[in-house]
Amino acid sequence: LAAASQCGDMASLEAALEEARAAGLEADDTEEAQARLVALEAEAAAARAREAAAEGLQAAAAGQDRESLSASIAQAEAAGVQSEVIESARGKLADLEAAAAAEAEATARRAAALDALALATKGDNIASLEAALHEAAGAGLGEVATEEAKARLAELEAEAARARARDAATEALLSAASGHDRDALAAAISEAEAAGARADVVTSAKEQLAEWEAA
């Protein structure tokens, strides 16, 4: 019984205790061996718990569930799993949390970019709309999300081009009206009409041309 208590083998100790009881030994005589058996059983249970916690931790670390991995790390720490295994799992958890934070930030950026794009699309400021489209591209918004804004930008740019053409035609008409070249004035009137120049300016130029031609 003494030898079995020292060897640390539960099966041998259980067999020795059974034999001691069969031989008629009193409880006092087997008390130390019985306590040793309880200690060995506790150690075995703790070892099984460590192995189960380690396996659970490895399985959780192989996945992408942050809550599951965090819980597995806590269980592994309580079970006394090796520190290097736990530290590796903590590294994986940190990576998952960083990825989740980055995704949350990207989602928020996309939402803000979408709101800004919708607002700029309703307006008539080309610079604001271009800036909103640039941010939308940086936030990862696709063609579907930016299609309307791009169409609006093209519309505003066309309007701006027409406005520049009207201004240029008006300036050219005023310049021609200040001269004495009837052909240049007639051509400037035609260009101004085509560009949609102010009607009063065109009418005034036509009257001046008529006066020149009548003179």
Side-chain angles (χ1 to χ4, degrees):
L1 189 59
S5 297
Q6 293 177 357
C7 75
D9 183 77
M10 282 195 300
S12 298
L13 184 52
E14 287 174 342
L17 280 166
E18 185 65 27
E19 184 177 346
R21 283 191 289 268
L25 291 181
E26 298 294 333
D28 291 344
D29 297 325
T30 61
E31 182 178 1
E32 183 179 347
Q34 188 65 46
R36 176 59 174 158
L37 179 60
V38 170
L40 290 175
E41 289 174 340
E43 290 175 5
R48 290 193 297 272
R50 281 195 300 274
E51 291 177 2
E55 290 178 1
L57 183 58
Q58 290 176 347
Q64 302 295 320
D65 189 327
R66 288 177 293 145
E67 292 184 0
S68 176
L69 181 53
S70 180
S72 294
I73 289 172
Q75 291 174 356
E77 288 177 325
V81 174
Q82 291 181 350
S83 59
E84 59 267 25
V85 176
I86 294 175
E87 287 305 314
S88 177
R90 282 177 175 164
K92 174 62 181 293
L93 179 60
D95 291 341
L96 290 176
E97 289 176 339
E103 179 57 30
E105 182 179 351
T107 298
R109 184 183 179 186
R110 286 193 294 271
L114 196 58
D115 290 342
L117 193 61
L119 183 62
T121 300
K122 293 177 181 178
D124 56 7
N125 188 295
I126 291 177
S128 296
L129 186 50
E130 286 177 335
L133 279 167
H134 180 75
E135 173 57 19
L141 295 182
E143 288 296 324
V144 174
T146 59
E147 183 178 6
E148 182 180 354
K150 288 180 178 178
R152 176 58 175 160
L153 178 60
E155 178 183 340
L156 290 175
E157 288 176 337
E159 290 177 0
R162 287 193 295 270
R164 289 193 298 271
R166 282 195 302 272
D167 291 343
T170 299
E171 290 180 6
L173 181 57
L174 292 172
S175 177
S178 66
H180 301 283
D181 188 332
R182 288 183 297 171
D183 291 339
L185 181 55
I189 289 171
S190 296
E191 291 179 1
E193 288 180 321
R198 282 170 42 191
D200 60 329
V201 177
V202 174
T203 298
S204 177
K206 284 181 176 181
E207 290 174 351
Q208 183 172 339
L209 178 61
E211 292 177 1
W212 287 354
E213 290 175 341

